Amino acid sequence: MKRLGVLVLLLLVPLVLAGTFYWQATQGLPSEAELASFSPALPSTVRDVNGEVATIYTRERRIYVPFDELPPQLVQAFISAEDKTFFEHEGIDWVGIAGAVVTNVQSFFSDKRPVGASTITQQVAKSLVGNEVSLWRKVREAILARRLEAVLSKQQILEIYLNQIFLGRNAYGVEAAAQSYFGKSVEQLRLEEIAYLAILPKAPSTYDPVRQQGRALARRDYVLGRMLADGKISAAERAAAAAMPLEAVPNRAIPRGRQDYFIEDVRRTLIAKYGDAPEDGPNSVYGGGLWVRTSLDPVMQAAAEAAMRDGMTRYESQRAWRGPAGQIEAGDGWQNRLSGVAVALGYPSWVKAVVLSKKGNDSTIGLSDGSTATLPGRNAAKPYRATNRSAAQVLKPGDVIIVTRTSSGWALRQTPEISGGMVVEEVATGRVRAMVGGFDARAQAFNRATQANRQPGSTFKPIVYATAMDNGFTPASIVVDGPYCVFQTKLLGTKCFRNFGNMRGAGAQTLRWGLEQSRNLMTVRVADATGMDRIVTQAKALGIGDYQPVLSIALGAGETTVLKLTNAYAQIFNQGRRVEPSLIDYVQDRTGKVIWRRDTRGCPGCNAPRWNGEAMPRPQGRVVQAIDARTAYQIVHVMEGVIQRGTGTALAVLDRPLAGKTGTTNGPNDVWFVGGTPDIVAGLYLGYDQPRAMGGYAQGGTMAAPIWRQWGEAALKDWPKKPFVIPPGVRMVRIDRRSGQRVFGMWPDGGPRPAVIWEAFKPQSEPRRTERAEDVLARRGSSRIRSDAQFLEQEGGIY
């Protein structure tokens, strides 16, 4: 009996040890259920408003191709090269392992390299357990290989393998490798090219088509021989393929598509929502294979980038040269060192260069492509900052500079020190059509459109006047443009306000005139009468900011971003209806399922196959008013006057209904313009990142408005010219533009500065006093009167 117990113990101990070993080896491995739902890492694709691919978020070349779309000859090439018994074993090739052991024992006493016996299934398992070189990893790999064979078909395993295997040049999978090495898709590959890809899984760098071409050709021919031996190609096909040279395209960077501030902001939003890497979740940006539809308008984005860059460089052209963008050693290997220097180039025609040598004021420069050229001294004649010397005189070998080719040869340029941001937004939806956050998104990560808090200056004044119109004022209300002082505290004393540029007061004027001419004294007087608590409440409701109720806020002293202020204007232009800015319309996972949508409103009947003859279905949802629709129209109507005869007349040449407001902060440190059409609103500012004076001549109307005009000329040329819609409850009344009094017997003449204009009033708020047409004309020094009949005939009616 004792002997039996010992025998049982001797049998149980190995079994327990084996069970413990197996349990330990399987810890952390994916279960069969997890393997059945395994999905390889895939890049995320971003599309623009037209559905075209804008960019791909990827750190590796990965292009997934289903098994049914892979060429059979390519599949067989990899089987012949890597695992000829793939369709016969169950994940582990025991015969191959035995052969490898014998071969490696023999190799131990010779110079032959060891051989492996990993099957294709084991190579797939290896990608899940890691690349650690150890027997323990091989055991875990074998266990996982058996699990894979239990839950996946051979075709599914091949599909994962051929889309996941690393093949060099940062390419993962055969499709990415085909494009990387041969510049074509897998279905376009010839036999010799297929055979070359099949040699790469073992050691891609060992068979580089340029540096190791001889070794690569020998190994390629070996694979062709294996395919012949397996009966997959004929002898004639093998001979023809072996006779072909190995012609690969040069290694190129991963094509990523657009690289701008809009795309980068989308990326940051997605990472915050879904994570960065595959380990962060199934829908990660760099592994989840997301399909992202955005509101990016390529035309508007390109126009915004060009207008902002041109505006920055115009301002910079009047400034001295600040010095080189960097410094490197100018000796051998300068090209590689130059490529490592990040420089904000902005324009496609601008390139970075390094000064290699000097001869007088002329410099020999090295360009990014490895070529050399001459930078004439006459093309680098800008004065060097704080000296009486030119840039050409102070350049020295090793200086990294920016140059561009001109009709007179290469010329020196520099990245503008001033910067800014711009946002373009749809009025009705809040969808952002374009975004610029600086001079060059590739070298300047800080997005000034969303991250820079700046004082908006006079672009905040429409909020003040709109709040006033909600509290008893009208566009025709008379306000004194004159000295205005307020007592603050005993410590701070009395504060007296001034007009911009210390302009003298103009006396009693209409509210409209005060906004058109951007008068500070009138604004603070209106703000004080309205109540700053009401004004900051309205600013908060529009999403501009949460401010203290002090009078300086009325002149734009509270900080905000371009995105917030542009969105506030969009709500005003949208008849006061609240909209939230958004860059992403919806996000789909790799299977096409929508996992996030911007517009979550229901719409019963919208997807019906046929119209039932009843009222057209509309999206459900409650409309939230951020500001009274009538007030919103009143302030828009006044801002139309800013363009026609106020501080924004630089935009009148666009010849379309426009409304907007210029802004200039103290210093002046920043210049602004925000405005647009009934469909599109765009806002922008220019200023130094560390706020400082831009110069006394810098104003919103002379610097920011021309940028907006350049953008509008390109972006709005195909958009229809539509008037702003008058909401219910607004009465259009003829008034004398300067006095604000109601006029009878005289009509607007259509010019930019008419004596009589149409003004928007809420019911029972229109002026009670009236003027005769003769009195209005006498004050204007004119005798022109259009009768009612003439007006109706010439204008075609009243709208």
Side-chain angles (χ1 to χ4, degrees), residues 453-664:
N453 286 298
R454 313 291 290 208
Q455 293 182 345
S458 295
T459 52
F460 186 81
K461 289 177 181 176
I463 313 305
V464 175
Y465 285 82
T467 310
M469 291 181 199
D470 258 343
N471 289 277
F473 283 85
T474 75
S477 295
I478 299 300
V479 179
V480 174
D481 179 27
Y484 196 74
C485 300
V486 294
F487 178 76
Q488 301 176 101
T489 64
K490 186 175 181 180
L491 179 63
L492 296 176
T494 300
K495 165 72 174 178
C496 291
F497 293 89
R498 300 178 301 173
N499 280 324
F500 179 79
N502 291 321
M503 285 188 292
R504 296 175 59 184
Q509 301 289 340
T510 63
L511 209 71
R512 165 183 283 279
W513 186 90
L515 186 59
E516 289 179 352
Q517 303 303 321
S518 198
R519 292 291 177 141
N520 291 348
L521 293 174
M522 293 180 67
T523 302
V524 293
R525 197 180 296 270
V526 169
D528 204 16
T530 302
M532 281 305 303
D533 54 340
R534 291 170 173 160
I535 291 170
V536 297
T537 298
Q538 183 62 76
K540 185 176 181 179
L542 289 167
I544 300 173
D546 192 357
Y547 306 124
Q548 294 296 314
V550 294
L551 272 177
S552 59
I553 295 297
L555 299 180
E559 293 182 340
T560 189
T561 66
V562 181
L563 179 63
K564 290 178 180 178
L565 190 59
T566 303
N567 184 64
Y569 273 63
Q571 293 174 84
I572 293 172
F573 282 38
N574 193 33
Q575 295 192 353
R577 292 186 288 263
R578 179 168 295 162
V579 293
E580 294 293 336
S582 67
L583 283 71
I584 302 172
D585 289 343
Y586 57 85
V587 180
Q588 297 168 282
D589 65 14
R590 66 176 66 211
T591 67
K593 178 184 177 182
V594 175
I595 57 176
W596 184 88
R597 186 185 296 276
R598 181 190 67 86
D599 190 346
T600 58
R601 295 176 299 169
C603 188
C606 285
N607 292 326
R610 292 183 181 83
W611 180 45
N612 58 11
E614 298 180 359
M616 294 297 289
R618 294 181 179 275
Q620 297 175 329
R622 186 171 63 91
V623 174
V624 178
Q625 289 291 144
I627 188 172
D628 185 277
R630 300 168 301 172
T631 302
Y633 179 76
Q634 284 181 302
I635 201 66
V636 168
H637 190 52
V638 172
M639 286 194 288
E640 286 188 274
V642 173
I643 308 300
Q644 295 164 358
R645 54 190 164 267
T647 57
T649 53
L651 301 175
V653 297
L654 293 178
D655 189 29
R656 64 166 58 241
L658 287 174
K661 185 68 185 75
T662 58
T664 309

Side-chain angles (χ1 to χ4, degrees), residues 430-444:
R431 298 165 73 215
V432 176
R433 287 296 195 109
M435 177 182 289
V436 178
F439 187 72
D440 189 344
R442 295 166 296 181
Q444 300 173 336

